[in-house]
Amino acid sequence: MVRGLTRSVVAGCGAALLAAAAAACTGSVESGGTQATLGDAPPVSNGDAQRGGSLQVLVAGTVATWDPQLMYVGPEAFFAQRTFARGLTAYGTGAHQRDILGDLATDAGTPSDGARTWAFTLRPGLTWQDGSPITCGDVRHGVARTFDRRTHIGGTNYASFLLDIPTQVTPEGLEKPVYAGPSDKAHEADFERAVSCNGRTITFRLRDSEPDFPRIVALPEFAPRKASADTTSDKASYAVMSSGPYRLKEPWVVGQGGTFVRNEHWDPRTDPIRQAYPDEIHVSSGLGETAVIQRLLNQQDDDAYAVSWVQASPTLRNQAGTGLQARLTFPYTGNVDYLAVNMRSKVMADPAVRKALELSTNRATYVTATGGEGAGTPAWSILSPTVDPTSVTPPPGARVEGDPEGARRILERAGVKLPVPLRVVYARSVLGDKAYAALAAGWERAGFDVQLTGVPPEEYYETIEKPTSVASYDVFRGVWTPDWPSAGGVLPALFDSRINIDSSGPGQDVGYFSSDAVNALIDKADATADPAARAKVWEQADAAVRGAGGYIALSATKALYLHGSGVQSYEDHPVGGIVDLATVAVR
């Protein structure tokens, strides 16, 4: 985990979600904490799946870009990575969906110097859609583009904060790398010392140890890019130079879409992940969400062969007959709804109060109010099931409906004066209002006097990160999705006070949680190379935060997706969060 520069990194996916109410290994590295000895994952078994046909993809709204370096984590980025934008590493399929595998690279990387240096060797025979070879220089150029702040405005920016490149302090007081992208010849040597090529091997030198680096280079910002593909054209953001099984047949039409056809220069022998069953993938964009769902329900003409990442209402699950049920899926989104406890609040400073609040929290009514079992599962850890499948398993003796009577006894035994004032802030919405009213009912039975404050979603994140929030609220509503499925993408971002709390506010650590013991465990995890041993350290760190009452997990949220009856081998990917284009087929 990068120190000093990291606050800008962590203000990413989780920040966006909050604002909307709703961030020694070879072969592969398994997310469950064990080290795999795999080279290429075995092909996923897809029953009767066959090559051929046209898959339809229905997209609500417009696609922002097809430029890998400009993509943020999400459905469109995962679509691109499974079809035309390969990376050094990628997540597997079937039983290996949570495993990070070599993609363009022969394996998931070789660390040295305590995971401060990582080397990846490209597979032989890799080519672009024009038949030219994919080189180490192409990978380096793709990474270099992320340093150009004139053009790199939408994607993730981990390279800027992880690579060992000299920094400078801006007039605004921010510490940033001196290197400013491919056109910066004055600092090119600094970049090339951090990202070097030797034949087919690319080596990254980092500021600090980062055992999760194979997962980080799976992000689109680390995808290769041909320098000759760079252009100042307004249409450049949608131009595709494919390294995968599909290429764009004709120029993309903003607000309408385009068709991806087979890339004749993709060699399946160099790709252990993508089955590429359909002959073509037609993407229709610019649609309304309601229109997408209605088309999938009606299945007229080619819509019987359609998929989408538009989420349907959870109530559809209860209305569906047998035929429709077979076309519904309910994957975890990777999001976890939680409560961040204000550790500087006079009320919450008492451990007995924090314990009573957690014990009286009714996760069952919260899930019901937010849409029921089709919308989420009661959670006990901020690590989602995509990171830790046990996070939705209640601890021994825990009750999903809470225990307000037991919580009241804790308060009374501790001599706490009742009722206990409790100021809770959340992002206002129809479901949010219902959910927090349901939580408040349980808290009040335990002896709390609850004051709920709903803030407009577009103002919520700004509100809770203000320095004044510490004196205004006792509990904050939070939502977090890591940019990669690891505790290392969650716990430091939310609970490492060293990279969050300063005079400008709490950063992502909105509850001002600060613990030397937890910080020491974070450092220990960062320095632990063995995945299984590192997972145990992260487990200890999570337990320490929860044990101190730093947060209360509420729900691991789910999506509801609908696909056409002509779609075969349909499987939602737990990391990508949508249908896996690597293995889907049509009848």
Side-chain angles (χ1 to χ4, degrees), residues 67-377:
D67 185 330
Q69 274 75 43
L70 300 184
M71 291 180 182
Y72 205 84
V73 178
E76 291 165 11
F78 193 67
F79 171 90
Q81 292 176 302
R82 296 317 236 194
T83 54
F84 67 82
R86 296 175 65 183
L88 290 172
T89 61
Y91 292 92
T93 60
H96 298 280
Q97 286 183 324
R98 289 184 171 85
D99 298 346
I100 194 72
L101 308 173
D103 186 3
L104 292 174
T106 56
D107 55 34
T110 301
S112 58
D113 189 25
R116 289 177 176 82
T117 300
W118 284 87
F120 302 83
T121 299
L122 295 178
R123 298 176 186 272
L126 297 168
T127 58
W128 293 104
Q129 69 178 52
D130 61 2
S132 61
I134 298 173
T135 68
C136 177
D138 294 335
V139 179
R140 184 166 62 184
H141 181 70
V143 176
R145 297 177 72 231
T146 68
F147 286 80
D148 189 346
R149 294 303 172 204
R150 297 169 302 173
T151 58
H152 185 69
I153 55 177
T156 55
N157 55 0
Y158 289 101
S160 297
F161 295 92
L162 289 170
L163 294 175
D164 189 13
I165 294 174
T167 61
Q168 60 187 354
V169 179
T170 68
E172 296 80 21
L174 301 175
E175 189 179 3
K176 292 187 176 181
V178 296
Y179 181 63
S183 64
D184 183 4
K185 302 305 179 183
H187 299 100
E188 187 174 39
D190 293 318
F191 176 72
E192 292 187 350
R193 277 191 292 270
V195 185
S196 61
C197 285
N198 181 11
R200 291 188 290 114
T201 298
I202 186 166
T203 301
F204 298 92
R205 293 171 176 82
L206 313 181
R207 289 191 181 93
D208 294 289
S209 173
E210 184 48 81
D212 277 339
F213 196 63
R215 302 184 185 284
I216 296 172
V217 297
L219 295 170
E221 71 168 287
F222 288 89
R225 171 85 170 193
K226 285 189 69 168
S228 61
D230 291 348
T231 172
T232 57
S233 168
D234 291 339
K235 296 183 179 180
S237 184
Y238 295 97
V240 169
M241 174 57 72
S242 176
S243 59
Y246 297 96
R247 61 176 175 82
L248 196 55
K249 182 178 182 180
E250 296 175 347
W252 182 262
V253 180
V254 178
Q256 295 183 32
T259 299
F260 291 86
V261 295
R262 291 197 182 278
N263 171 14
E264 300 86 348
H265 291 283
W266 170 74
D267 185 347
R269 293 173 298 181
T270 70
D271 192 333
I273 295 170
R274 297 162 187 81
Q275 300 297 317
Y277 287 116
D279 283 338
E280 65 177 30
I281 301 174
H282 181 73
V283 182
S284 299
S285 68
L287 306 173
E289 292 187 357
T290 301
V292 169
I293 299 302
Q294 199 59 51
R295 286 178 59 173
L296 289 168
L297 287 171
N298 294 338
Q299 297 196 95
Q300 296 297 312
D301 302 321
D302 288 344
D303 289 344
Y305 307 98
V307 298
S308 178
W309 45 81
V310 173
Q311 296 188 29
S313 169
T315 59
L316 187 62
R317 180 175 185 173
N318 301 323
Q319 302 167 3
T322 303
L324 183 55
Q325 286 281 2
R327 300 194 289 121
L328 300 177
T329 58
F330 310 89
Y332 285 108
T333 64
N335 303 355
V336 173
D337 291 354
Y338 71 100
L339 302 171
V341 176
N342 184 354
M343 305 300 280
R344 294 187 180 181
S345 156
K346 182 178 180 180
V347 171
M348 302 311 294
D350 188 335
V353 175
R354 298 198 298 271
K355 176 62 178 175
L357 181 67
E358 193 280 332
L359 189 61
S360 59
T361 295
N362 190 331
R363 293 168 173 84
T365 58
Y366 180 87
V367 168
T368 298
T370 54
E373 62 177 343
T377 302

Side-chain angles (χ1 to χ4, degrees), residues 343-436:
M343 305 300 280
R344 294 187 180 181
S345 156
K346 182 178 180 180
V347 171
M348 302 311 294
D350 188 335
V353 175
R354 298 198 298 271
K355 176 62 178 175
L357 181 67
E358 193 280 332
L359 189 61
S360 59
T361 295
N362 190 331
R363 293 168 173 84
T365 58
Y366 180 87
V367 168
T368 298
T370 54
E373 62 177 343
T377 302
W380 308 88
S381 170
I382 203 165
L383 305 178
S384 77
T386 60
V387 175
D388 177 10
T390 68
S391 64
V392 292
T393 301
R399 294 162 55 177
V400 70
E401 70 276 10
D403 182 5
E405 289 75 20
R408 178 181 285 269
R409 288 193 294 271
I410 289 175
L411 294 173
E412 291 172 343
R413 285 199 298 265
V416 178
K417 182 180 178 181
L418 302 182
V420 180
L422 186 68
R423 301 164 299 172
V424 180
V425 62
Y426 67 97
R428 183 187 306 151
S429 69
V430 173
L431 294 182
D433 292 344
K434 294 179 179 178
Y436 277 81

